[in-house]
Amino acid sequence: MRRCLLLSIGLALLVSVAAPQAAQQTQQSPALSFDFYRTHIEPIFLKQRDAGQGGRACASCHTSVASRLRLQPLPPGAVAWTEEQSRQNFQLAAALVAAGEPLKSRLLLHPLAAEAGGDPAHNGGKFWQSQNDPEWQTLAAWVQGASGTGASSGATAVQSTLATGPSLDYEFFRTRVEPIFLARRPGHARCYACHALGAGEGNAPNAMRLQLLSPGSTSWNEDQSRKNFQAVREKVVPGHPPASPLLIHPLRYEAGGDQWHGGGAQFTSANEPEWQTIAAWVQGKNGNEGTLGGKDLTKRDDYTRPSPLAGAAGNRGNPVLGAASNTATQGLKLRIVQTNMAGDNLHIIDPATNRVVGEVVGIEANHGVAAAPDGSRLYVSNEADRTVDVVDTRTLKVFKQIPLSGPPNNIAISKDGRRLYQAIHGEPYGVDVIDTATLANAKRLPLDGMQIHNTYVTPDGKYVIAASDDRTFTVAVIDQKTEQHVRSIKFTNRPRPLAFHTNTDGSTKWVLAGLSELHGFVVTDFATGKEIHRIKFPDLGGPVKMLVVRASTGNPNHGIGVQPDNKAVWITDRWYNAVHAYSLPDLKYLGAVPVAVDPFWMTFTPDSKFVYVANDASASVSAIDTQSMKEVARIPVGQVPKRNITAMLP
């Protein structure tokens, strides 16, 4: 389905010349050489990969697993196939390529990194990070018609073919494409927020790096634009929009784009003018050619989102409440608050109707959220501005931004509401402590330089828990009263989300944690810090809906929660797009509930009857009845929803 969509996009762009080109290509398609295949291609299938490439040869899977490339099993003791077997393998491999067109050949795109123009998913991992990889070039040479057995017989062929694409015009890029990266779209974070400011997945090592704007400037200078041009051109295949990550990565999956993009679906269709403009650049347009006619995208006519402090200066409109007070919570209603990491808004859901009943706008790349105990405020970590934004819950307006020491992630609030604990995910790392009475950044807890991803306050309020996202694999335990780091809990891999199971007196008994590379979760004794249980999820069978390398090898689950009644733990499963439940304290498996693509964080209603799960790649929240184990509603929200909380609000 997705391949058909991609080809449809390409055909739409070339509709005026598609028919004659197709006929010409059919006539001129090169023959695929068996000798070149056997000498140069089959050794690639047999090569033992290092750990970074999955640790196994292609043949180890493709001789035993049912797939379109079902290779022949090697004879006992053999290190290569017989000629008869090779000819059978040749027929299978040839069926997975488009002769003469490496960039339309599944055999080349499936194991190629998505950032280099490959498919978003390959169950065996990504072997090639670039089209310049010698193995990829060898395969491409074969597809281009290289023949013979000489070691360099195909190198020149593929280089000349890949060089035949049109040149990319710098002036068109600067005047037409760059403004798209700064464009403000309702409900979206700007491309600039992640790819320059480092919010969200913009922190990833292979992310496209844009230059920071000069202070006070609304556009890049010449030198900055030249650097942007070099960075962006690495994400396109000249002449091939459907093979260019710059176009496919932010395009809605149903329209032919990648299944997951940390910045969400910036384009819902390949017919959008901005997508068409980028495609025109990739096709080699220059000068004043294009579709936008010079429109200033940073000042969208239809964009009405206020800035975070619109209508407020300093603390104007600052409510007096915020910390816990003696005021009764009369008139407050139960609400689910959902952040949207790739958006500029948060959504407020009424669990009685499972409908969105409120929206906080103007907070770009919002990540974590906490609520004041009296319901007067929301505190939101703003990754774009590196602030904690304070929202008046009666007006749903931001009235204060509190500067942070570095890029934020999740946030937690003390039981009395007087202190906020903000995870700092980038340098200088650690945890920032916010005083809610003064709305000031009171101190930083360095925590030995740990890169903090998540903060929590234990159910009894005695401890602040700060979980690292680095190779220390450590969780810091902080005394909430003294705000001193008192001890650490060490895991076997990076702790992802955490949840807490309590003793009958309310004290913390267990820490339950998802770990990187574990398709399951672990249970650690809080007092001793020792792992006491390791649970692996069952194989649900059937096709895997979303098995991408990022999810499968790096982060199989990113959501875990213990019901308020302390009777069950729920954990998201990104491999099978489901949520598993286990009873507590016996850890008996209760079953799984299918949800939308890429389930992440979760929160419960106070009566434990419902759990709300944010579906990261699906822009939705699933409401699950914990008794019937059924999804009862799927609620549309914003782009890349992640953290969510349950709160009593006006």
Side-chain angles (χ1 to χ4, degrees):
M1 173 65 76
R2 179 180 180 277
R3 182 61 57 210
C4 293
L5 286 166
L6 289 177
L7 293 176
S8 297
I9 295 168
L11 289 172
L13 292 168
L14 302 172
V15 65
S16 62
V17 294
Q21 280 189 346
Q24 184 179 17
Q25 288 173 354
T26 301
Q27 296 171 1
Q28 297 179 354
S29 295
L32 298 173
S33 166
F34 170 72
D35 287 336
F36 188 91
Y37 164 81
R38 192 177 189 199
T39 305
H40 296 296
I41 306 303
E42 282 198 328
I44 295 174
F45 296 157
L46 293 168
K47 177 182 176 180
Q48 189 70 29
R49 302 285 163 182
D50 58 30
Q53 295 179 317
R56 296 186 293 176
C58 304
S60 66
C61 286
H62 285 279
T63 57
S64 59
V65 176
S67 72
R68 295 175 66 182
L69 184 64
R70 184 65 181 266
L71 301 172
Q72 295 297 303
L74 288 170
V79 294
W81 286 287
T82 66
E83 181 172 346
E84 181 182 356
Q85 289 177 316
S86 290
R87 289 196 180 275
Q88 293 177 28
N89 291 344
F90 172 79
Q91 295 300 322
L92 293 172
L96 296 177
V97 304
E101 299 184 273
L103 295 174
K104 292 184 180 179
S105 298
R106 182 179 177 85
L107 188 66
L108 283 91
L109 297 182
H110 211 39
L112 177 65
E115 295 79 10
D119 289 346
H122 175 220
N123 290 357
K126 295 298 188 180
F127 298 156
W128 308 306
Q129 299 304 309
S130 166
Q131 294 178 20
N132 293 322
D133 186 284
E135 291 179 352
W136 195 93
Q137 291 272 318
T138 299
L139 283 159
W142 175 59
V143 172
Q144 284 295 329
S147 60
T149 59
S152 60
S153 56
T156 303
V158 68
Q159 289 288 358
S160 62
T161 298
L162 295 178
T164 58
S167 60
L168 300 172
D169 185 74
Y170 168 72
E171 289 302 325
F172 188 94
F173 169 81
R174 189 176 187 190
T175 59
R176 305 286 192 214
V177 177
E178 268 195 332
I180 295 173
F181 302 147
L182 296 172
R184 293 187 178 275
R185 303 174 184 86
H188 291 268
R190 295 167 295 165
C191 304
Y192 179 80
C194 289
H195 290 280
L197 298 177
E201 297 301 322
N203 289 309
N206 56 7
M208 180 180 73
R209 299 291 182 197
L210 300 175
Q211 298 295 300
L212 287 170
L213 294 172
S214 300
S217 179
T218 59
S219 62
W220 287 286
N221 61 36
E222 176 76 15
D223 179 63
Q224 292 170 330
S225 290
R226 293 278 179 189
K227 292 177 179 177
N228 287 344
F229 179 73
Q230 294 302 322
V232 174
R233 71 186 304 170
E234 295 296 320
K235 303 299 181 183
V236 306
V237 180
H240 296 274
S244 298
L246 182 66
L247 284 145
I248 300 305
H249 205 39
L251 178 64
R252 186 178 177 89
Y253 178 69
E254 291 80 1
D258 284 351
Q259 188 149 34
W260 187 89
H261 173 223
Q266 293 282 350
F267 309 115
T268 59
S269 166
N271 293 322
E272 289 191 21
E274 294 165 12
W275 197 96
Q276 289 279 325
T277 295
I278 300 174
W281 175 60
V282 172
Q283 289 281 47
K285 298 294 184 181
N286 57 65
N288 292 322
E289 295 177 296
T291 60
L292 292 185
K295 182 178 181 180
D296 185 356
L297 292 174
T298 64
K299 299 178 180 178
R300 294 281 295 253
D301 295 335
D302 58 350
Y303 187 82
T304 58
R305 288 285 196 271
S307 65
L309 295 181
N315 275 356
R316 187 170 63 192
N318 181 358
V320 176
L321 300 179
S325 70
N326 293 325
T327 304
T329 56
Q330 294 179 357
L332 300 185
K333 301 179 181 66
L334 184 65
R335 295 291 185 253
I336 306 299
V337 183
Q338 179 65 61
T339 66
N340 299 301
M341 189 22 248
D344 67 346
N345 56 353
L346 292 83
H347 285 102
I348 299 174
I349 299 167
D350 180 358
T353 62
N354 285 325
R355 295 181 180 274
V356 172
V357 294
E359 183 183 18
V360 179
V361 300
I363 305 178
E364 192 174 30
N366 52 90
H367 197 126
V369 60
D374 61 17
S376 64
R377 298 173 181 169
L378 291 176
Y379 303 97
V380 184
S381 44
N382 178 331
E383 286 204 30
D385 293 341
R386 299 187 178 185
T387 58
V388 169
D389 291 5
V390 190
V391 177
D392 179 347
T393 55
R394 294 194 179 277
T395 64
L396 297 184
K397 302 293 185 183
V398 174
F399 65 86
K400 176 74 173 178
Q401 287 188 294
I402 305 169
L404 298 169
S405 64
N409 268 193
N410 203 16
I411 191 171
I413 191 168
S414 62
K415 294 299 180 181
D416 61 10
R418 297 185 180 278
R419 302 292 257 190
L420 291 167
Y421 298 96
Q422 175 64 67
I424 302 298
H425 195 250
E427 293 183 351
Y429 307 120
V431 170
D432 281 4
V433 182
I434 308 298
D435 186 316
T436 62
T438 61
L439 293 181
N441 194 335
K443 65 167 74 171
R444 186 174 77 87
L445 307 179
L447 301 180
D448 299 321
M450 285 193 294
Q451 182 179 357
I452 303 302
H453 185 39
N454 296 308
T455 53
Y456 306 86
V457 173
T458 55
D460 59 7
K462 291 184 177 180
Y463 298 98
V464 178
I465 306 298
S468 67
D469 189 25
D470 53 37
R471 298 196 65 81
T472 64
F473 305 160
T474 299
V475 164
V477 180
I478 301 160
D479 185 295
Q480 197 276 320
K481 286 186 177 180
T482 65
E483 294 179 339
Q484 296 295 311
H485 179 192
V486 293
R487 60 188 175 92
S488 297
I489 298 173
K490 189 87 168 181
F491 291 91
T492 59
N493 211 317
R494 294 183 182 183
R496 308 311 301 180
L498 305 178
F500 306 95
H501 179 51
T502 61
N503 294 302
T504 54
D505 64 357
S507 60
T508 303
K509 179 180 181 180
W510 291 344
V511 179
L512 302 98
L515 302 180
S516 292
E517 301 182 11
L518 174 64
H519 189 227
F521 66 102
V522 297
V523 179
T524 299
D525 182 83
F526 182 65
T528 66
K530 302 296 183 182
E531 181 181 316
I532 55 176
H533 299 287
R534 178 168 290 235
I535 309 295
K536 291 188 177 180
F537 295 145
D539 183 354
L540 298 182
V544 176
K545 298 178 185 176
M546 182 184 181
L547 181 55
V548 297
V549 171
R550 175 183 176 276
S552 64
T553 64
N555 188 2
N557 74 77
H558 207 298
I560 187 169
V562 170
Q563 291 180 184
D565 62 13
N566 213 33
K567 293 182 179 179
V569 59
W570 293 70
I571 315 97
T572 58
D573 183 344
R574 299 178 68 197
W575 285 12
Y576 290 98
N577 299 315
V579 188
H580 301 276
Y582 294 79
S583 62
L584 291 172
D586 56 358
L587 294 171
K588 178 183 177 182
Y589 186 61
L590 300 176
V593 181
V595 290
V597 173
D598 211 15
F600 252 62
W601 284 73
M602 65 181 67
T603 188
F604 296 86
T605 53
D607 58 11
S608 299
K609 290 184 178 180
F610 296 93
V611 59
Y612 287 78
V613 180
N615 300 307
D616 174 277
S618 304
S620 67
V621 172
S622 291
I624 297 172
D625 184 319
T626 60
Q627 298 300 309
S628 66
M629 301 281 289
K630 301 285 187 183
E631 182 187 41
V632 296
R634 189 171 295 178
I635 307 154
V637 288
Q639 295 294 315
V640 189
K642 287 194 178 180
R643 325 290 170 145
N644 49 24
I645 62 170
T646 303
M648 298 298 296
L649 302 178

